[in-house]
Amino acid sequence: MKLPPFEYACPTTLPEAVQLLAAREDAKALAGGQSLVPMLAFRLTQPTLLVDLRKLADLRGIKITETGVRLGAMVRWRDIEDDARLSTAHPLLQAAIAHVAHYQIRNRGTVGGSLAHADPAAEMPGIALTCEAEIAVVGKSGARVINAADFFTGALTTALAADEIIVEVRLPPWPQGRRWGFQEYARRRGDFATAAAAVFFDEDASGRARNAHVGVIGVADRPLRLANVEALLNGQTIDGGTIAKAETATAAAIDPPEDIHASAAYRRALAGTMVERALQQAGK
Amino acid sequence: MLIRFEVNGSAVEVEAEPRLTLADCLRHQLRLTGTHIGCEHGVCGACTVLVDGDAVRSCLMLAVQAEGAKVTTVEGLSDDAELTPLQKSFRKHHALQCGFCTPGMITTAHALLSEEPDCDAARVREVLSGNLCRCTGYIPIVEAVLDARAAYRDNAGGVAGKA
C-alpha cells in the first residue's frame, strides 16, 4: 500500500531532532527506515511527522576501546559486517549481525532502528540483552543510559520515551579467549528467526565455565536471558552431558508463542537445539 | 518538497510529497519504469536501485531521503545501443522468464560484482536471497551472475563512469 501522509523534517543537530520529536505527540524518528517504512506501508503506524536522523553525524561510527564496543545508532548492518576489528573486538556481535535481513536491507538498516523497533525475533536486541549492553539515549529532559535488561518491555515496545532518540549502544569489553556461539534457524537466511540462541562464557584455570550468558530470540514477546541455563553452566566443563542439560533446561524455561510459522512445541524444541548447537560451537 | 539528486548521471529536480517512495518517484515523476514495484514493503527486491553505489530497496526509502544522492537505476547501467556484459549473460543463460524481477536482479548483481568480482556461487545465492523470482528461475540467474564476473574483474562490468 502507499504510505499514509506525514510531514518530514531532516534536522542537522541532535538537540534540534529532540525538539522536533518533543513538539509533536505522534512524531517518529526515522533511521534506516527498513522496519518503519513497511509499518507505514501496512498502515500499522501513522505518525504525522517523521524526523529523519540521517544528517546527525554524532550517531555514526563504531568505537572500539578498552571500555568496549560503542555502536552509533545510525551504524548500519553493513558497517558491522565490513569492520575487520570486530572479528576480535566482538565476534559474537559480528556473527549475529550476519543473520540480519537481506543484502539491500543491510545497506540501510541500523542498530538504533532495530533496538527502537524491538522485534522479538531480531538479532540486535538479543545481542544487546545477552551482552548486558547499555543504551544511551537523549530526550528533552536530557541524556540517560538504559540497561538492555530494562529496555525491551514487550513486542515492539521499549522504555524509550516519545521524545527520546537512541544515540549509541555500548557493549562491554570482550576478553580474548572468551568462548561463544550464535545459532539461528530461519526458513530462509535473512528472514526473522524462528528461534536463535547467543551464548558466551569465560573459563577458569581448570577449564570450567564461568560468567555464562545465554540469550534467546524469537520465543517470547521480547529477547530473553535464561538465568537457569546460565546457573547450570557456571562451574561446569562444557561437555556433551552439560550441553544436553542446557538444552533441556532451555526448553523448560520458555513459553513460546504459536503462529503460522511454528507451533509452541516446535519453537520450544528448536530453542533447545539452538542453545545446544551454540554451546557446541563455543566449545570448538 | 523540492528535492534535487542525480539519476543515472543527470541532475534531477522533483517536487515530491514526503510520503512518496523513491520507487514511485522514479517511476511516476521521472518515468523510469525499469524499476519495478512488486511487494511495496521491502520483501521482493524488484525495486532495487543503487544509491551512492549501495543496492537498496527503493520502496523502503523516501524520495526526500535521496536529496543530494547519486541514484542508479537499471536504465543507467547500459546505454541504449548495447547491453552490459551482465545483461548479456542473463540473456545467454535464460536467466529470466516473465522478466518482472529482472531489473532488481540486475541492479543487485551489479552492486555485488562491482565490490566482489571474485565472489563464489554461495555468496551470489546469499545476496540474491533478497530477490524473489516467481518463475523459479534461480539456477540460471546464479549461473548468469557467475559468468559475468570476468567483466567486472577487467573493466567494471562495462559500465565504468556510468554507475
Side-chain angles (χ1 to χ4, degrees):
Chain A
M1 224 188 306
K2 302 302 176 193
L3 312 183
F6 47 78
E7 291 167 54
Y8 172 84
C10 194
T12 52
T13 68
L14 199 48
E16 198 188 337
V18 168
Q19 207 166 29
L20 283 160
L21 284 175
R24 187 87 67 94
E25 199 178 328
D26 56 358
K28 252 189 157 346
L30 172 65
Q34 303 301 285
S35 299
L36 181 55
V37 177
M39 298 264 288
L40 293 167
F42 282 116
R43 308 284 171 113
L44 293 172
T45 179
Q46 300 208 7
T48 59
L49 171 68
L50 289 191
V51 179
D52 193 344
L53 308 181
R54 72 188 167 96
K55 289 186 180 166
L56 305 184
D58 301 351
L59 307 191
R60 297 191 187 275
I62 301 174
K63 295 188 199 91
I64 300 173
T65 66
E66 65 280 5
T67 62
V69 175
R70 292 181 175 215
L71 304 172
M74 290 295 279
V75 165
R76 305 170 305 159
W77 308 126
R78 169 69 184 276
D79 302 325
I80 293 174
E81 186 178 5
D82 287 350
D83 196 320
R85 299 172 301 166
L86 287 171
S87 63
T88 49
H90 213 297
L92 175 61
L93 170 73
Q94 214 168 31
I97 295 315
H99 290 265
V100 179
H102 299 280
Y103 185 67
Q104 300 94 336
I105 288 180
R106 298 170 63 79
N107 280 329
R108 285 191 69 77
T110 66
V111 167
S114 174
L115 294 172
H117 183 58
D119 191 292
E123 291 81 1
M124 191 65 223
I127 290 300
L129 178 77
T130 306
C131 296
E132 300 186 57
E134 294 177 338
I135 298 164
V137 310
V138 61
K140 65 172 188 258
S141 51
R144 66 177 176 135
V145 174
I146 308 170
N147 291 327
D150 303 320
F151 188 81
F152 305 102
T153 53
L156 312 185
T157 314
T158 70
L160 207 59
D163 62 281
E164 284 180 321
I165 295 171
I166 298 173
V167 176
E168 67 179 9
V169 56
R170 301 168 183 167
L171 296 161
W174 186 271
Q176 295 294 310
R178 174 171 278 177
R179 299 287 185 168
W180 63 275
F182 184 85
Q183 292 289 321
E184 172 167 326
Y185 178 79
R187 290 189 63 186
R188 182 176 59 146
R189 188 175 169 116
D191 289 353
F192 276 113
T194 310
V199 306
F200 69 84
F201 56 85
D202 299 316
E203 289 173 314
D204 64 18
S206 59
R208 293 174 196 276
R210 58 175 194 83
N211 192 32
H213 284 60
V214 177
V216 286
I217 59 172
V219 299
D221 68 349
R222 67 196 81 176
L224 297 179
R225 256 185 83 186
L226 303 178
N228 66 320
V229 182
E230 293 173 356
L232 182 155
L233 297 172
N234 282 325
Q236 301 298 315
T237 307
I238 307 303
D239 55 15
T242 313
I243 292 174
K245 281 182 201 153
E247 180 193 359
T248 310
T250 298
I254 59 176
D255 183 18
E258 181 162 309
D259 61 23
I260 56 164
H261 304 295
S263 67
Y266 178 80
R267 268 211 172 81
R268 184 178 295 117
L270 184 62
T273 302
M274 292 299 103
V275 168
E276 176 193 20
R277 290 182 186 170
L279 286 168
Q280 286 166 347
Q281 180 189 355
K284 277 174 190 161
Chain B
M1 294 174 75
L2 189 68
I3 49 166
R4 293 183 184 85
F5 57 106
E6 199 178 282
V7 179
N8 301 331
S10 305
V12 295
E13 195 176 279
V14 181
E15 183 62 39
E17 59 175 323
R19 71 175 186 144
L20 188 76
T21 64
L22 177 60
D24 278 337
C25 177
L26 291 168
R27 289 178 56 81
H28 300 301
Q29 249 87 342
L30 299 168
R31 308 306 293 173
L32 292 167
T33 51
T35 298
H36 289 175
I37 297 179
C39 70
E40 216 165 34
H41 64 274
V43 172
C44 78
C47 69
T48 303
V49 300
L50 309 187
V51 175
D52 294 327
D54 291 337
V56 307
R57 292 180 164 169
S58 61
C59 76
L60 294 190
M61 183 168 165
L62 306 176
V64 290
Q65 293 183 287
E67 169 81 42
K70 286 192 167 84
V71 177
T72 305
T73 69
V74 70
E75 290 95 336
L77 297 182
S78 63
D79 57 35
D80 289 337
E82 199 174 3
L83 297 176
T84 68
L86 177 63
Q87 290 168 328
K88 283 182 189 163
S89 187
F90 266 61
R91 184 170 62 190
K92 176 181 160 194
H93 289 273
H94 303 286
L96 58 148
Q97 290 183 43
C98 85
F100 191 88
C101 70
T102 309
M105 292 285 180
I106 295 276
T107 48
T108 305
H110 173 69
L112 169 67
L113 295 181
S114 297
E115 289 187 357
E116 303 173 40
D118 296 310
C119 60
D120 61 12
R123 176 66 176 153
V124 173
R125 285 177 181 279
E126 183 191 345
V127 167
L128 291 181
S129 69
N131 291 66
L132 300 183
C133 166
R134 297 292 81 163
C135 303
T136 67
Y138 295 109
I139 289 172
I141 291 169
V142 172
E143 286 169 351
V145 175
L146 290 172
D147 202 16
R149 289 177 299 183
Y152 284 83
R153 290 184 196 119
D154 302 341
N155 66 345
V159 291
K162 291 209 71 176

